[in-house]
Amino acid sequence: MEFMITLYSDESVDIPSPGEPGFAEMMAEWMTFNERLVEGGHWIAGASLSPTNTATTIRKTLGQVPALTDGPFMETKEQLGGFYLIRAADLDEAIAFASAVPIPVGSFEVRPVAFRPDAEIPAG
């Protein structure tokens, strides 16, 4: 099965930038996690997103011209910061991977993928 894990955290919390103390250690945790997914055959895709101040929201209303606004859809304490698209045997395995994401504070939504046009269809 395929699952989407969306990563939410407070982007106002300072994290080390390249060249700052702690950056290499932080990235090592992420690389270890990513390697675990890749080596186990679970990795499909994943990415970190730019901050919400770079977002553009498009709102469509039936019969109206789509409206564009700068910024995220709504203001929240936690912002969508990235995602993983993974293969897992079941929801329990997907939850275990989400629980291992190296963000010290945040929330992660795990959802089965209902349809993906280029997905590999398991035999059987």
Side-chain angles (χ1 to χ4, degrees):
M1 295 180 69
E2 293 182 356
F3 292 88
M4 173 71 74
I5 302 171
T6 51
L7 316 176
Y8 296 88
S9 60
D10 182 348
E11 65 185 19
S12 70
V13 173
D14 286 331
I15 59 168
S17 296
E20 292 182 347
F23 180 77
E25 294 81 5
M26 177 189 72
M27 290 307 296
E29 288 183 62
W30 283 99
M31 295 312 296
T32 298
F33 180 73
N34 291 343
E35 287 171 12
R36 177 179 167 202
L37 291 174
V38 170
E39 290 173 5
H42 302 285
W43 177 273
I44 298 172
S48 173
L49 300 175
S50 295
T52 55
N53 65 359
T54 66
T56 300
T57 298
I58 303 161
R59 178 173 301 282
K60 294 175 82 173
T61 304
L62 190 61
Q64 301 292 317
V65 174
L68 300 179
T69 57
D70 290 336
F73 173 67
M74 58 187 181
E75 305 237 352
T76 62
K77 290 186 179 191
E78 294 181 334
Q79 294 78 37
L80 176 62
F83 73 93
Y84 282 98
L85 182 59
I86 65 166
R87 283 184 197 87
D90 53 31
L91 179 59
D92 290 337
E93 185 177 35
I95 289 171
F97 281 121
S99 298
V101 170
I103 293 176
V105 177
S107 59
F108 316 106
E109 183 177 327
V110 179
R111 273 199 224 178
V113 173
F115 174 73
R116 191 168 61 86
D118 60 343
E120 294 175 21
I121 300 174

